[in-house]
Amino acid sequence: MSRRLEARAVAYGRRRAPVTPAVALAALALITLVAVLLTAGARDGRSTVVERVVAGEGAGQFDVAAIYARANPGIVDVNAHTIATTAGPFGLPEAAEGTESGTGILLNTRGDILTAGHVVAGGHHITVTFDGGASRRATVLGTEGDMDVAVLHVDPSGLELHPLTLGSVAGLRVGDPVAVIGDPFGVPRSLSTGVISGLHRTIEAPSGAAVPNAVQTDAAINPGNSGGPLLDAHARVIGIADQIATGDSSVDSSTGVGFAVPIDSVKTRLAQLERGRHRERRRTHARPAHRTGSSIAT
């Protein structure tokens, strides 16, 4: 055993010396003096205040329950009823009905809603359901095929709308916590959390266009989450949930590699979309950079 360890062992086992009246009086006097000094400092405003600092508090604590409570009223369920024509018996055309389900984000109190373009593509009857259960029929105001987003509109009469705040990916770092709220597999208003796994990714829109600066996250994103928000610690929208990576498998559920269209890109087109712009880019065969395996829209 080293001499330092031996010294500590001896100190721990040392007998305590008796406390004499003189020592006790001196200690009491010292305590009284400290109390007087603290009181005087508080009176002249020069007292020292010690605060408990929470890790990451400067960027906002990641209070998941608070984020959900703040964001949920501004999120809607989107259902688009579609009719596709397929070849029936003897080669005759046959109509097949289906439903695409996704999520949307309230943009304002006028009834404008942001969602993923592929959720409402081809939908002839779109229904939006709000927090609390109220439903409205929606129309498509504008679409942007090269980033897979669309803006819907509903009549806001009689509705109490709570638009979400649009944030920015600027200043975000890999490892920052995020939350996703949406309707995975039709289970409404489900919450998942994770971190930013990567920035400046490039994904491919259904039109074939490259979507740059996408945000990668390991928060669970599944079919039905498309169009829903990727949220930061302040419940601000930093991306629109859009795709999951599948590699070479046929998996159609969360793989821990999800992608969101950056809200900064969406904001540059938002005014035009709200005015009714429709833009579809012709599909190309260019493969975007940073793409890993295959991905599917959610």
Side-chain angles (χ1 to χ4, degrees):
M1 183 181 291
S2 68
R3 294 182 60 187
R4 183 176 181 184
L5 289 177
E6 288 173 353
R8 290 185 61 187
V10 171
Y12 287 145
R14 189 170 52 190
R15 294 177 62 85
R16 181 177 299 174
V19 178
T20 64
V23 173
L25 288 173
L28 179 60
L30 179 60
I31 293 172
T32 303
L33 177 61
V34 171
V36 170
L37 290 175
L38 288 175
T39 302
R43 288 174 179 172
D44 64 12
R46 294 180 296 181
S47 60
T48 301
V49 178
V50 179
E51 294 183 328
R52 182 175 64 89
V53 178
V54 180
E57 195 170 17
Q61 286 182 266
F62 197 67
D63 186 334
V64 179
I67 291 170
Y68 185 84
R70 183 174 178 180
N72 185 51
I75 295 171
V76 301
D77 314 322
V78 180
N79 287 282
H81 303 280
T82 61
I83 297 179
T85 302
T86 61
F90 308 107
L92 298 176
E94 188 176 72
E97 295 189 2
T99 301
E100 291 289 335
S101 297
T103 309
I105 300 165
L106 276 169
L107 291 171
N108 49 51
T109 56
R110 299 190 302 272
D112 294 338
I113 296 164
L114 178 65
T115 189
H118 67 264
V119 172
V120 296
H124 73 284
H125 183 91
I126 302 170
T127 303
V128 169
T129 304
F130 296 83
D131 180 40
S135 293
R136 292 287 190 277
R137 182 165 183 175
T139 56
V140 179
L141 277 185
T143 58
E144 187 64 59
D146 64 357
M147 66 175 64
D148 194 26
V149 294
V151 172
L152 313 179
H153 179 75
V154 299
D155 181 358
S157 302
L159 297 173
E160 185 177 350
L161 303 182
H162 303 275
L164 295 187
T165 300
L166 304 185
S168 173
V169 298
L172 295 178
R173 302 171 301 172
V174 172
D176 284 347
V178 290
V180 172
I181 303 176
D183 299 349
F185 301 109
V187 182
R189 303 180 181 278
S190 300
L191 169 73
S192 65
T193 60
V195 298
I196 293 177
S197 305
L199 294 165
H200 309 297
R201 305 303 196 204
T202 300
I203 57 178
E204 186 178 292
S207 66
V211 183
N213 299 316
V215 182
Q216 178 187 338
T217 181
D218 65 349
I221 295 178
N222 288 291
N225 276 115
S226 276
L230 180 67
L231 301 161
D232 67 9
H234 300 280
R236 296 174 299 204
V237 180
I238 58 173
I240 309 301
D242 194 70
Q243 297 180 15
I244 56 175
T246 59
D248 296 324
S249 70
S250 58
V251 174
D252 61 355
S253 59
S254 176
T255 58
V257 185
F259 299 98
V261 176
I263 197 63
D264 303 68
S265 299
V266 176
K267 288 192 291 187
T268 64
R269 311 283 177 86
L270 205 50
Q272 295 173 326
L273 291 172
E274 290 174 328
R275 288 197 298 266
R277 168 176 173 162
H278 293 270
R279 180 185 177 189
E280 293 294 336
R281 178 177 290 183
R282 174 180 289 184
R283 183 172 182 84
T284 66
H285 295 288
R287 295 181 65 85
H290 306 298
R291 184 179 178 191
T292 304
S294 301
S295 61
I296 63 170
T298 58

